[in-house]
Amino acid sequence: MKTFENIPFIDLKSQYIDLKQNINKRINNVLDHGIFINGPEVSIFEEDLCNFTSVKHSISCANGTDALSIALMALNTNRDDVVFVPSFTYISSVEAIALLGATPFFVDVDFDFNICPVSLENAILDSLKLDLKPSVVIPVDLFGKPSKSEKLDAVIAKYNLKVIYDAAQSFGAEYKGEKVGNFGDITTTSFFPAKPLGCYGDGGALFTNDDVIASKIRSIKNHGMGNHKYEHINLGMNSRLDTIQAAILIEKLDVFSKELITRNEIARFYSNNINDIDKLLITPEVKPGNLFSWAQYTLISPKRDEIMKKLKELSIPTAIYYPLPLNKQEAYKDNYVVSSGIKNSEKLCKQVFSLPMSPYLDRTHQDYIISSLNKIIDDL
């Protein structure tokens, strides 16, 4: 079998080559007008986001972690509030809660990688027994799959929780034909370079259809500003998407729908051609009316480490998202954990691994990855 060198795990270089002329023109326009903060490109990009998502308010900020903090602040989250968050996710999802002084409460996920409604309800009941105040839940759309579901909605409604969807990995995805951004009180996302829609630095955004919440978000991200620069009506922070990043994102968003189609085609190719479903469990099926953004194509295997080692020998890059549950992290080990446990999160941390995923991953590389993986599985 021919071995390929330098297969990119996420191919940003090929994307830039395709978009280079337009991106460079946008950047040069910013350099020419010199408005590097709150330049016209920021407003243009926010309007483009609204058009893409059909959300009433799309508000950019400096990064995805800030977006979560701003969202919690906009919902008046304080030290008395319990905020439920999956243990199987990136640290940002809990970091924002802790930094605001609220109480993180870890819950488990299902094997589709998203928050488990049963575990969430158990955690809510746990918090009530402890005389705590269950207030907010942050479902995380891990690997590009929307976490919204009828079962989750039912638990949220039953206990009157506020909802912030962490869509750092799922921007562009759809649930029953409706785009991510329209769910919950607020949705947040990240434009970190490796995300489905990424800039060339840090960036993020918040989405809401609530006028009052939107107004507060705009204030908070600008030092709590009121009617003018030197009036401050809210506790705020400095979290602005800079103009050059907005300019880059305008061009990337223009081709994003096409890239989403390609991401889904690659994911289907992977799923349809990986052998032996009993040894390797495929990322959840995309049901009709839904669309994933496939930030990662993630598999589950009890022989993960052995498979990854053999793939590395064949010059196929892989990655583990995530190797340790958040409640086992040193900084968060003393926080509350649902009494029913986080067995799924613990198992996933030991067994998940991700294959290369990018709309610019060519078919020759896809064939090589699949044939190599299938041979490894057959030899196990």
Side-chain angles (χ1 to χ4, degrees):
M1 181 189 298
K2 179 181 178 182
T3 300
F4 291 87
E5 300 292 336
N6 302 318
I7 297 175
F9 186 72
I10 298 173
D11 190 357
L12 297 178
K13 184 176 180 181
S14 294
Q15 183 195 50
Y16 175 62
I17 290 171
D18 271 10
L19 303 178
K20 182 176 181 179
Q21 184 174 351
N22 289 343
I23 285 177
N24 287 355
K25 183 178 179 181
R26 288 278 185 184
I27 292 173
N28 286 332
N29 285 342
V30 177
L31 297 176
D32 286 340
H33 68 56
I35 308 173
F36 301 116
I37 301 295
N38 290 333
E41 287 80 3
V42 176
S43 296
I44 293 169
F45 176 57
E46 290 178 342
E47 184 176 351
D48 288 348
L49 288 176
C50 287
N51 291 333
F52 179 82
T53 60
S54 298
V55 178
K56 189 173 183 181
H57 302 282
S58 299
I59 305 161
S60 62
C61 65
N63 56 70
T65 309
D66 278 6
L68 288 167
S69 296
I70 294 166
L72 287 165
M73 294 167 73
L75 296 180
N76 302 313
T77 311
N78 59 48
R79 293 183 180 276
D80 295 329
D81 293 315
V82 170
V83 183
F84 302 97
V85 64
S87 188
F88 184 63
T89 181
Y90 185 57
I91 200 72
S92 294
S93 302
V94 67
E95 193 172 40
I97 304 166
L99 285 171
L100 289 177
T103 303
F105 206 122
F106 291 112
V107 301
D108 206 3
V109 296
D110 284 321
F111 282 108
D112 66 354
F113 309 127
N114 289 342
I115 193 167
C116 172
V118 174
S119 181
L120 173 61
E121 183 161 25
N122 288 340
I124 294 168
L125 295 174
D126 289 344
S127 70
L128 291 171
K129 289 177 184 177
L130 293 167
D131 291 325
L132 300 174
K133 180 185 173 186
S135 301
V136 183
V137 60
I138 302 181
V140 182
D141 298 349
L142 213 57
F143 308 141
K145 178 187 183 295
S147 50
K148 180 176 172 60
S149 70
E150 291 179 2
K151 290 181 180 179
L152 180 60
D153 286 347
V155 175
I156 289 167
K158 182 177 179 180
Y159 296 97
N160 196 30
L161 298 181
K162 297 176 183 177
V163 189
I164 300 167
Y165 279 96
D166 182 347
Q169 298 182 21
S170 69
F171 181 74
E174 297 178 11
Y175 174 76
K176 293 188 175 180
E178 193 169 19
K179 278 196 166 57
V180 160
N182 287 282
F183 312 132
D185 296 282
I186 303 171
T187 297
T188 68
T189 198
S190 167
F191 302 125
F192 183 78
K195 296 296 189 287
L197 180 66
C199 53
Y200 293 157
D202 266 321
L206 301 94
F207 305 88
T208 184
N209 288 305
D210 187 298
D211 294 345
V212 174
I213 291 175
S215 178
K216 191 163 185 182
I217 289 171
R218 290 190 175 95
S219 170
I220 291 168
K221 63 167 269 189
N222 282 300
H223 300 286
M225 191 173 72
N227 292 322
H228 59 79
K229 185 177 180 179
Y230 298 110
E231 180 188 35
H232 307 279
I233 59 174
N234 292 298
L235 179 65
M237 58 197 296
N238 178 17
S239 185
R240 297 171 298 216
L241 179 69
D242 74 70
T243 310
I244 287 179
Q245 298 303 334
I248 293 164
L249 286 164
I250 289 169
E251 290 302 322
K252 287 200 170 193
L253 185 58
D254 190 52
V255 300
F256 187 54
S257 293
K258 181 180 177 182
E259 290 183 350
L260 284 171
I261 292 171
T262 306
R263 283 180 179 272
N264 278 270
E265 289 173 348
I266 293 170
R268 280 194 297 272
F269 181 77
Y270 276 158
S271 296
N272 291 338
N273 290 282
I274 294 175
N275 294 339
D276 203 337
I277 206 78
D278 294 327
K279 287 186 180 178
L280 213 59
L281 306 179
I282 308 305
T283 294
E285 177 187 3
V286 183
K287 295 180 180 179
N290 294 353
L291 180 75
F292 297 177
S293 55
W294 297 105
Q296 309 294 343
Y297 186 90
T298 300
L299 301 170
I300 308 167
S301 175
K303 297 191 176 181
R304 185 228 0 236
D305 295 344
E306 187 177 349
I307 293 170
M308 289 181 65
K309 180 182 177 182
K310 292 182 180 296
L311 287 172
K312 184 177 181 181
E313 291 170 356
L314 295 171
S315 301
I316 297 172
T318 56
I320 298 173
Y321 304 98
Y322 299 94
L324 192 66
L326 294 188
N327 63 293
K328 298 290 182 69
Q329 297 283 355
E330 182 67 24
Y332 299 95
K333 65 181 183 180
D334 295 327
N335 287 119
Y336 293 105
V337 181
V338 62
S339 60
S340 52
I342 54 156
K343 296 179 180 64
N344 293 345
S345 297
E346 291 172 345
K347 182 175 180 178
L348 290 171
C349 286
K350 294 176 181 177
Q351 296 190 6
V352 293
F353 70 101
S354 300
L355 297 177
M357 170 53 77
S358 159
Y360 299 86
L361 183 68
D362 66 48
R363 179 49 65 89
T364 303
H365 286 163
Q366 294 172 49
D367 287 334
Y368 175 65
I369 291 165
I370 291 297
S371 60
S372 300
L373 182 56
N374 284 337
K375 186 176 187 310
I376 291 168
I377 294 168
D378 290 341
D379 291 343
L380 288 177

